[in-house]
Amino acid sequence: MNEEPDQRRLTLPGILGFADRPVIWPRAIAFLIAYVLASVVPLIWDLLTMPQDFPADLRTWILMQRCVVPFVLVAAAVAGYRFIRNQWIAAAVSGLVYLVVMTPVRYSLNPYFRFDLRILYSWLWVFLTLIGIGLALRVCRSLVLAVFLGYYLASLLDSIVINVIYLVTDHESHLDLVSELTYQGVEIVFSGVFALSFWAALRVRLCKPELLGTEAAATVAGTLPASGEAGNLQAIFDFQTLRSHLRAAGIGSILFGVIAVLLGGSSLGEVPINAILLVLGFLLIGEGIWVLVAPSPAGMIFDGIVLILVGLWNLVVTAYSAQAPGSGPAGFAVLGVMQVVWGFQSMLRYRRYAHLGGQRLSAEDLAQGQTQIEAIWRADLSGTPDIIEFKTRGFLSQLVWRGKLLTGSLATLRSGKPFMVVPKGEAELTIPEAQLHQDPMKGKLRLEKLTLGVALSRDAYARFQQWKTT
């Protein structure tokens, strides 16, 4: 058996089974099975939305294409990544193989098929899909999130590019923003099913997860375990901070969701398109309940995506309403912009908490962490040289802080509650020369990107400086 690689990050050739010799074919089969399962989502959507008078032969072609695409896509990926090491070239070759195979399939099954340069778009879709997943695996520590973001964002970019080309080359074409927004909702569900199915399949014994290596195996498992006192405290602190963020986000999502359901349901008979608003409302409510009940780093990503979708809906509705005479104020446009901004802010917070790996801490872990937190807050400063205390100016009064000087980081508490754990290199205390002989001293404490005006004793300053130099 091959020796286990030490700290190998997960790559697309790795999850397809081509990073090792011999090739691990069950992983490519797992990719195929996951894609087939996910394809049920757009298949059901097609069946529900096709008009009754839709040509039967064209209906059959569309449904058959949905069934054929997963097999051709996986075969094309195998052809590219099996023999080519460079992922960009492999993705391009895979797209070319897909184009060569699918063109005669389309011609033989589709009675309305006409050859033109638009068939090249299928090459672009395959290329963006494979590259998107490959790049996302370099950034995300969660396999589920990496596959979800890689596939969906690639699909979104592909849709944007194709729509722009259509608008430029065909002056009679126009962009139906409502239909496009609905389609993106289907793509989000597809991406989620695909990511979860593939993650589950990779954990099967036949896929040999033990050969992935330490870091890559942790990525598949959905966790990057913390070790030692600092890692344990950081997990506890960050989990409680994450839960605080998601509690506010969840309550906001439920509030917006209820409003959307009420607005969409009350006007559904007069404006059928508000069925989309109704669906978005239920999606917001479901997402809000999820992040409240099971807070995790991935929740920030999904919270951001749902908020962006709702914000885009509000912008689209405002744009269409503005064309009508006597249209009202653009309040929904302002709300839409704010929701899009909030969505991106939520997604950007993911990296701060990614080390939690999308897993909830057990009750025992939280209880143990709370015991450590209380011990730090109640400790006698004279007998604990690894704890410092400082104060900052609050809105009405001073705020009391404590910091635990760990081996490579500083764990901070504010008013007895966890605030954040900062790597040693990201914690800097600056005291003006005029304050060096004062007690207490006044200066600036930088915790990553946050800078605080602090007051602390000379003893606390000496402890901090000794910690920084060891």
Side-chain angles (χ1 to χ4, degrees):
M1 179 179 292
N2 294 348
E3 293 185 2
E4 180 184 11
D6 292 330
Q7 291 293 321
R8 183 172 56 184
R9 288 303 305 270
L10 209 58
T11 62
L12 187 53
I15 61 176
L16 288 175
F18 303 133
D20 300 280
R21 295 293 183 270
V23 173
I24 305 173
W25 290 108
R27 293 188 195 168
I29 297 173
F31 190 89
L32 172 63
I33 292 173
Y35 203 96
V36 169
L37 290 175
S39 296
V40 173
V41 175
L43 191 63
I44 293 174
W45 178 258
D46 288 338
L47 291 172
L48 292 176
T49 56
M50 279 185 187
Q52 294 295 325
D53 58 350
F54 204 76
D57 49 0
L58 189 55
R59 182 199 303 267
T60 302
W61 146 244
I62 291 175
L63 299 181
M64 288 187 66
Q65 178 176 259
R66 292 287 190 194
C67 298
V68 171
V69 163
F71 296 91
V72 180
L73 174 63
V74 174
V78 169
Y81 287 93
R82 172 70 174 83
F83 303 104
I84 301 174
R85 290 184 175 273
N86 185 285
Q87 294 194 43
W88 293 86
I89 298 176
V93 171
S94 298
L96 182 61
V97 172
Y98 181 88
L99 176 65
V100 170
V101 174
M102 280 300 295
T103 299
V105 171
R106 287 195 179 98
Y107 182 78
S108 61
L109 296 178
N110 185 0
Y112 301 94
F113 180 83
R114 295 293 182 272
F115 182 86
D116 61 33
L117 292 179
R118 290 177 182 176
I119 65 171
L120 296 176
Y121 298 162
S122 62
W123 174 90
L124 176 66
W125 170 70
V126 172
F127 176 77
L128 289 176
T129 297
L130 297 178
I131 284 297
I133 296 175
L135 293 179
L137 286 167
R138 297 182 183 181
V139 177
C140 299
R141 289 178 175 175
S142 166
L143 173 69
V144 174
L145 190 58
V147 176
F148 172 84
L149 287 178
Y151 184 90
Y152 174 67
L153 294 180
S155 176
L156 179 62
L157 179 60
D158 175 69
S159 180
I160 293 173
V161 171
I162 291 177
N163 278 313
V164 169
I165 293 175
Y166 266 92
L167 291 173
V168 171
T169 58
D170 187 353
H171 299 294
E172 296 182 0
S173 64
H174 66 282
L175 179 61
D176 188 340
L177 291 178
V178 175
S179 298
E180 186 62 31
L181 184 62
T182 305
Y183 175 74
Q184 292 306 321
V186 175
E187 284 292 289
I188 287 176
V189 177
F190 177 99
S191 303
V193 174
F194 176 47
L196 287 170
S197 301
F198 190 37
W199 167 78
L202 277 184
R203 297 160 67 92
V204 174
R205 184 182 299 274
L206 286 174
C207 292
K208 300 182 180 179
E210 71 277 4
L211 296 183
L212 289 169
T214 306
E215 188 173 356
T219 305
V220 172
T223 179
L224 197 59
S227 60
E229 182 187 17
N232 185 45
L233 271 179
Q234 180 167 356
I236 299 296
F237 277 42
D238 281 347
F239 182 79
Q240 295 202 12
T241 307
L242 169 71
R243 186 165 55 181
S244 176
H245 282 310
L246 288 179
R247 184 180 295 116
I251 293 172
S253 293
I254 293 173
L255 178 62
F256 283 128
V258 170
I259 294 173
V261 168
L262 292 176
L263 289 176
S266 62
S267 58
L268 189 59
E270 298 143 8
V271 187
I273 198 64
N274 274 349
I276 298 175
L277 180 60
L278 197 62
V279 172
L280 288 174
F282 284 119
L283 187 62
L284 274 169
I285 293 172
E287 175 264 323
I289 294 173
W290 174 47
V291 299
L292 285 176
V293 173
S296 68
M300 290 191 155
I301 294 293
F302 290 104
D303 175 67
I305 290 173
V306 173
L307 273 177
I308 290 171
L309 283 175
V310 176
L312 291 175
W313 167 263
N314 285 326
L315 291 174
V316 169
V317 168
T318 303
Y320 272 94
S321 299
Q323 299 175 5
S327 58
F332 279 104
V334 176
L335 178 61
V337 171
M338 292 174 63
Q339 287 170 328
V340 170
V341 172
W342 292 336
F344 279 111
Q345 287 178 339
S346 181
M347 293 173 70
L348 290 173
R349 287 196 189 106
Y350 167 79
R351 287 182 64 85
R352 175 68 181 83
Y353 303 100
H355 68 91
L356 293 176
Q359 293 188 347
R360 298 184 65 189
L361 299 179
S362 67
E364 292 77 13
D365 290 332
L366 290 174
Q368 181 183 8
Q370 188 60 36
T371 301
Q372 291 177 290
I373 291 167
E374 291 175 359
I376 294 172
W377 190 250
R378 296 174 180 175
D380 180 7
L381 293 176
S382 61
T384 48
D386 59 347
I387 296 178
I388 62 172
E389 183 173 282
F390 54 94
K391 297 179 180 180
T392 61
R393 187 181 300 276
F395 180 65
L396 297 176
S397 62
Q398 281 190 322
L399 297 175
V400 179
W401 298 64
R402 282 201 173 186
K404 173 79 169 178
L405 303 172
L406 301 167
T407 303
S409 59
L410 171 66
T412 59
L413 296 125
R414 182 177 64 183
S415 301
K417 296 181 179 180
F419 185 72
M420 66 189 303
V421 177
V422 185
K424 181 183 287 190
E426 295 294 327
E428 296 290 342
L429 178 60
T430 305
I431 303 294
E433 187 173 352
Q435 289 285 326
L436 289 176
H437 302 289
Q438 302 294 321
D439 198 0
M441 299 176 172
K442 293 183 179 180
K444 300 290 184 181
L445 176 63
R446 181 179 67 84
L447 303 174
E448 293 184 344
K449 296 181 180 180
L450 175 66
T451 300
L452 303 170
V454 300
L456 72 167
S457 67
R458 295 179 65 180
D459 183 56
Y461 174 72
R463 293 180 184 184
F464 185 89
Q465 291 301 102
Q466 183 178 5
W467 170 73
K468 286 288 290 185
T469 55
T470 56

